[in-house]
Amino acid sequence: DQQVKQNSPSLSVQEGRISILNCDYTNSMFDYFLWYKKYPAEGPTFLISISSIKDKNEDGRFTVFLNKSAKHLSLHIVPSQPGDSAVYFCAATPAVAGKSTFGDGTTLTVKP
Amino acid sequence: EAGVAQSPRYKIIEKRQSVAFWCNPISGHATLYWYQQILGQGPKLLIQFQNNGVVDDSQLPKDRFSAERLKGVDSTLKIQPAKLEDSAVYLCASSLGRAGLISYEQYFGPGTRLTVT
């Protein structure tokens, strides 16, 4: 049973437009949510996070939205740039800390 | 600040052979994780250490996998004997997390790509 799902394996967007990556979770014990970005042959790098007490967190071009009732979160990238092309992983962590459960990732391609 | 170091970067072995991976976390990070990432999937936690103690090893196949973190710093992950299905990227990550301080963000190393033939 996959507790964190990223239902879109890939997404292609034109440079300058908005990229929206989605993530669904099933475990109501998850309390903290993170997005990681991964380039080929590198490990994932932390991008942005959100606590369950918030519904939005913004950092520059990146905004994460959380809908607790729907158990859904999304990552918005505006405007998208070719350097944003990577695999994006959603991760969820319970309040007890540490153990994150990852989705299978969405490959974002931003076309010039 | 130096990142998480892992070696080797690539390893090819035959099934039933043994292999070991090494990880050096970011200085001062108390929590260390080993993940297995199969192609097309997200990282799956194998084992989590806080300092030199095991916090979670529920997903570690203990009949063939073992891990240790001596002196609460470096860590090694060993597979013996390897199976074809162990072909994956093995990622090491660390975070600040220690008693009384929760830290959710993890810092990953570049990973070791293991191919079992």
Side-chain angles (χ1 to χ4, degrees), chain A residues 36 41 43-44 89 98-99 103-104, chain B residues 9 37 42 56 104-106 108-109:
Chain A
Y36 290 84
F89 291 100
K99 182 178 178 179
D104 285 341
Chain B
R9 292 295 309 274
Q37 186 180 14
D56 187 332
Y104 296 102
E105 293 84 18
Q106 298 178 26
F108 285 83

Side-chain angles (χ1 to χ4, degrees), chain A residues 31-32 34 36 38 41-44 46 49 89 93-95 97-100 102-104, chain B residues 9-10 33 35 37 40-43 45 48 56 58-59 91 102 104-106 108-110:
Chain A
D31 191 60
Y32 202 83
L34 308 96
Y36 290 84
K38 185 183 181 306
E42 295 183 11
F46 168 71
S49 62
F89 291 100
T93 304
K99 182 178 178 179
S100 289
F102 286 78
D104 285 341
Chain B
R9 292 295 309 274
Y10 304 91
Y33 314 80
Y35 289 89
Q37 186 180 14
Q41 298 182 17
L45 181 70
Q48 176 186 342
D56 187 332
S58 58
Q59 299 297 307
L91 293 162
I102 294 175
Y104 296 102
E105 293 84 18
Q106 298 178 26
F108 285 83

